[in-house]
Amino acid sequence: ERTRSPRSVTLPFEGRVGRHDAPSSSHPTGDCQRRGRQAAAARLSAERTHRERRADNGELHRAVATVQANHFVWAAPVDGADYDDTFAMRYFTNTEYWGGPGYPIWFYTGNEANVEQYVNATGLMWENAAEHQAMLVFAEHRFYGQTWPCGGEEAAQEDCLHLLTTEQAAADYVELLAMIKSGTAAADIAPCPTSPVIAFGGSYGGMLAAWVRMKYPGTFNGAISASAPILGFIGAALDGEGHGFYDDGGAGYWDIVQADTTQEKGAAPACSANLGAGFELIAKMSTDSAGRAALSDAFGLCPDAQVLDESDADGYRLQMWVLYAFDDYAMGNYPFASTYLEGPDALSPLPPFPMRAACEHLADDTLGDEGSEAALMDAVAAAVNLLYNSSGAEKCYESIPARDDELDGIWDYQWCTQMACQETYFSRRPSGIWPEYSFNLTWVNERCQGKYGPHVTPRATHVAQQYGGWEALNGPAASASHIVFSNGEFDPWRAAGVNGLNDTERDVVSVLVQEGAHHLDLMFATPEDSQSVRDVRALEMAYITKWEHEAMARARARAGAAGNVQSRDTKTCTSPEECCYYTSTSSQYSQGTCSQTSDLDTCELFGDTYTTGDCEHTAGYTHKCEGRYSITFWYKDEDCAVCTTPADDGDGEPC
């Protein structure tokens, strides 16, 4: 994730309120949300710090893997640049819950930021790994954090930017997994060639999670793709009717941000109208020096810094500063206090539902009246300071971002080549409350060529051609399978995500987190969570369990065909009266001559039967029964006697 902030002369935490004059890898441009924002730390709210997994704690293993710099040539350099054939990719593993070879590997497909951010924030993986006896792997994306090809950060940015593509990053992850599964990645990880692998990712990482499943189904058995704007590309259809995200220049993104300012989404009734009036007033007051002085005073700009001058006569720079604060409030509209979108050095978290909190400053329905201009500007300033000065320690701002300050950093190169998502370029409707803007691909081409050279022009349809749009997921020739796409109701990236898809034959489904923000479902569970996000997490775990069982069944079947497994006559338990109720993974089945048959009711969706050792297992899966998502198992002990508890049949051993 990336933060937008002004530079301050009074605060020591420049990481949050500071802007850097040049792109810096120490502050990568974040998670598919905005151009050139400094990557925010993955801190959870103050109330949840006990749930964090720090990248320097004893539960994690920090390592590097030697991977190919260019996966798609046979020898380097053959593309005109002098660079090493390989480089060190950083990753983290956790094996404290892992059951060993054959048990699952959960793999986070790193975003465009320091991977420690996702180590710390992806609670869905941490909180469910023990039940699934899964190994956790968090891989860092090339050109971000501490993972740089071509000899390091400086050389990579000067000579090797052409190696920064989604295809190269995905191939990195495949190569790393091959090393892990072969046992060559680390001495403490045994070879595990049959272990199923589930990809996890949010935002850009969610796009990568879906893409690696689609491109490498032999490596990844399934994917959880959260808040992934995977259809936000020219030439990619959003639905079966052929509508595209860029049909209206991507204006759907800002439509959702605007909707979040309304009473329907929980904000103060007058907020949206007052905010629109505020943008108009900024433009009006910026036309002369007296108006700019008044704006400087209202927004707390340092009087001696002359932040606003004649170049700001259109009010654009100040408007954008306000706009991106509300953009953050929409993406970070979590039900708990959080610093996730503020930055690594935030002194205090944003409050729960920050959009609603910001709108409280704009709740007075008289702010738009004639004669209330000063009060309106004070209210808008107070609303944005909820983000830019959440601690209240800021005395004044020495500067605000330059006009094109958001168009910097490594992420901008990904836009200028593969059009990776950047909401700054998206259209804003003239009928909306935001300053009007129209997407202009001609201007984009000219800007990218001017910055990176005449050879760098966005391949506008490349991603659609490479991965496909709706047709690749649900068309007559679609082959994608085993992907859950989730989107948050408040999250503007929902406009470019997968919605309304429910293919239960191939397990390609989309779910909406009501009152959810940006990849909320991947975060740690909290008491403030809605029933909706709890249900979505349960559904995601249900599908993961199914995919793992299917992969394990295939592995056992192959082992049986090779003569490693013997099937014997079995007895069957078919009811709760005979069997224990079990809601975990299949890994704890006993090895007696009995079988496990599920309780199959009217909500039955799918099932599988497989043999391991002396037991035959039939697992039954239920789908959204009585409004909940679950998977159930019935099983008996090793002597085929009645099992009294899920944990123990009386002999001290697991059932």
Side-chain angles (χ1 to χ4, degrees):
E1 321 299 346
R2 288 160 290 191
T3 55
R4 303 178 186 278
S5 305
R7 174 169 290 129
S8 166
V9 294
T10 58
L11 287 183
F13 52 105
E14 184 179 340
R16 180 175 69 84
V17 299
R19 292 298 309 182
H20 293 267
D21 296 328
S24 169
S25 67
S26 300
H27 307 287
T29 54
D31 215 55
C32 199
Q33 284 136 21
R34 84 181 34 149
R35 357 167 225 113
R37 291 187 304 183
Q38 175 184 353
R43 291 186 184 177
L44 308 175
S45 67
E47 293 82 359
R48 298 187 299 153
T49 53
H50 67 285
R51 299 179 181 271
E52 291 189 17
R53 296 296 197 277
R54 291 290 182 184
D56 59 355
N57 68 19
E59 299 172 348
L60 282 163
H61 177 68
R62 186 194 315 254
V64 294
T66 301
V67 297
Q68 295 295 311
N70 192 334
H71 294 277
F72 307 110
V73 297
W74 297 116
V78 297
D79 45 13
D82 184 12
Y83 57 86
D84 294 335
D85 291 0
T86 60
F87 70 97
M89 180 176 72
R90 188 170 65 140
Y91 68 99
F92 292 89
T93 61
N94 175 280
T95 57
E96 64 179 305
Y97 309 121
W98 192 41
Y103 288 79
I105 298 171
W106 288 0
F107 190 100
Y108 191 94
T109 50
N111 302 40
E112 72 286 25
N114 187 317
V115 70
E116 295 176 31
Q117 172 174 340
Y118 312 108
V119 170
N120 290 338
T122 312
L124 187 70
M125 295 173 66
W126 286 105
E127 291 179 336
N128 293 281
E131 182 178 356
H132 288 247
Q133 294 183 267
M135 178 198 308
L136 303 184
V137 180
F138 297 86
E140 189 161 72
H141 194 295
R142 56 171 58 200
F143 287 85
Y144 293 99
Q146 298 177 22
T147 298
W148 293 92
C150 306
E153 176 182 350
E154 183 176 353
Q157 296 192 63
E158 290 181 358
D159 302 325
C160 296
L161 281 178
H162 64 289
L163 298 178
L164 176 55
T165 67
T166 60
E167 293 86 353
Q168 297 282 7
D172 289 342
Y173 300 152
V174 172
E175 187 172 4
L176 172 60
L177 267 172
M179 287 185 274
I180 290 174
K181 298 183 80 171
S182 68
T184 61
D188 60 340
I189 298 178
C192 47
T194 63
S195 289
V197 180
I198 306 299
F200 292 75
S203 200
Y204 174 50
M207 297 161 73
L208 290 168
W211 286 338
V212 296
R213 167 59 189 169
M214 294 165 69
K215 284 288 187 178
Y216 301 100
T219 300
F220 294 89
N221 298 89
I224 303 301
S225 177
S227 296
I230 197 170
L231 302 179
F233 296 89
I234 294 175
L238 285 170
D239 54 36
E241 302 299 319
H243 300 115
F245 177 71
Y246 279 98
D247 288 353
D248 55 6
Y253 179 96
W254 292 108
D255 290 347
I256 294 176
V257 182
Q258 179 171 334
D260 290 346
T261 69
T262 66
Q263 184 178 13
E264 180 183 0
K265 301 300 183 182
C271 178
S272 190
N274 284 336
L275 185 56
F279 281 113
E280 294 177 0
L281 185 57
I282 289 173
K284 179 180 179 181
M285 294 178 64
S286 295
T287 57
D288 58 55
S289 57
R292 292 191 294 272
L295 289 171
S296 297
D297 182 63
F299 282 90
L301 308 183
C302 297
D304 298 332
Q306 295 183 340
V307 177
L308 302 178
D309 55 29
E310 291 80 3
S311 65
D312 297 300
D314 58 358
Y316 175 84
R317 193 157 63 105
L318 189 58
Q319 286 178 329
M320 293 302 99
W321 194 49
V322 174
L323 176 74
Y324 297 135
F326 281 87
D327 188 18
D328 270 352
Y329 298 151
M331 282 186 289
N333 211 17
Y334 302 121
F336 44 77
S338 172
T339 62
Y340 191 67
L341 288 178
E342 287 182 279
D345 299 304
L347 296 185
S348 61
L350 287 174
F353 294 116
M355 180 66 85
R356 298 173 184 176
C359 278
E360 284 302 309
H361 295 287
L362 295 160
D364 187 346
D365 59 9
T366 68
L367 288 175
D369 295 348
E370 185 175 354
S372 299
E373 290 82 1
L376 177 58
M377 283 299 94
D378 287 343
V380 173
V384 300
N385 278 334
L386 190 70
L387 173 69
Y388 299 136
N389 191 20
S390 61
S391 68
E394 186 70 61
K395 295 180 180 178
C396 66
Y397 299 112
E398 187 183 49
S399 71
I400 60 175
R403 294 180 72 90
D404 293 330
D405 192 61
E406 296 299 329
L407 303 178
D408 66 3
I410 297 294
W411 184 248
D412 188 54
Y413 178 83
Q414 292 193 250
W415 163 266
C416 282
T417 50
Q418 297 186 306
M419 291 191 71
C421 45
Q422 293 195 40
E423 72 269 38
T424 307
Y425 295 102
F426 301 159
S427 294
R428 300 185 292 269
R429 303 184 196 278
S431 58
I433 64 174
W434 315 116
E436 181 182 355
Y437 178 77
S438 295
F439 173 72
N440 187 335
L441 186 58
T442 299
W443 177 82
V444 168
N445 290 339
E446 293 174 352
R447 192 194 70 78
C448 292
Q449 289 177 338
K451 181 175 182 179
Y452 297 107
H455 60 290
V456 177
T457 301
R459 296 181 182 178
T461 59
H462 173 79
V463 169
Q465 294 165 350
Q466 187 71 231
Y467 303 107
W470 181 269
E471 288 294 310
L473 301 173
N474 199 43
S479 60
S481 65
H482 293 191
I483 307 173
V484 176
F485 294 98
S486 63
N487 288 290
E489 178 185 1
F490 296 145
D491 184 15
W493 287 112
R494 172 169 57 87
V498 178
N499 299 279
L501 180 57
N502 189 36
D503 187 334
T504 55
E505 290 187 9
R506 289 183 295 108
D507 293 353
V508 182
V509 300
S510 64
V511 288
L512 178 68
V513 181
Q514 296 173 351
E515 292 199 339
H518 202 54
H519 52 70
L520 171 64
D521 50 314
L522 293 188
M523 295 186 171
F524 285 87
T526 70
E528 298 89 350
D529 287 337
S530 67
Q531 188 60 53
S532 178
V533 72
R534 293 172 184 168
D535 286 345
V536 166
R537 288 170 179 152
L539 174 66
E540 291 166 343
M541 287 298 111
Y543 273 108
I544 288 172
T545 303
K546 175 179 184 282
W547 301 334
E548 291 171 348
H549 286 180
E550 290 174 346
M552 291 174 179
R554 288 191 296 270
R556 288 163 179 145
R558 288 193 296 269
N564 298 325
V565 174
Q566 284 187 323
S567 297
R568 299 184 180 180
D569 293 337
T570 63
K571 298 178 182 180
T572 302
C573 60
T574 59
S575 70
E577 289 73 23
E578 297 178 358
C579 305
C580 292
Y581 185 51
Y582 185 49
T583 58
S584 187
T585 66
S586 63
S587 58
Q588 296 182 38
Y589 286 133
S590 63
Q591 296 297 305
T593 55
C594 62
S595 69
Q596 289 77 32
T597 304
S598 67
D599 173 36
L600 303 176
D601 59 18
T602 56
C603 291
E604 178 185 359
L605 179 62
F606 39 69
D608 61 72
T609 301
Y610 51 89
T611 300
T612 177
D614 297 330
C615 276
E616 181 181 84
H617 313 283
T618 301
Y621 303 80
T622 58
H623 180 68
K624 202 174 182 180
C625 297
E626 299 179 355
R628 297 295 184 89
Y629 304 97
S630 63
I631 296 179
T632 59
F633 303 90
W634 300 106
Y635 71 107
K636 297 183 76 171
D637 73 355
E638 61 184 9
D639 299 320
C640 295
V642 174
C643 205
T644 56
T645 71
D648 187 3
D649 61 4
D651 62 3
E653 297 296 327
C655 251

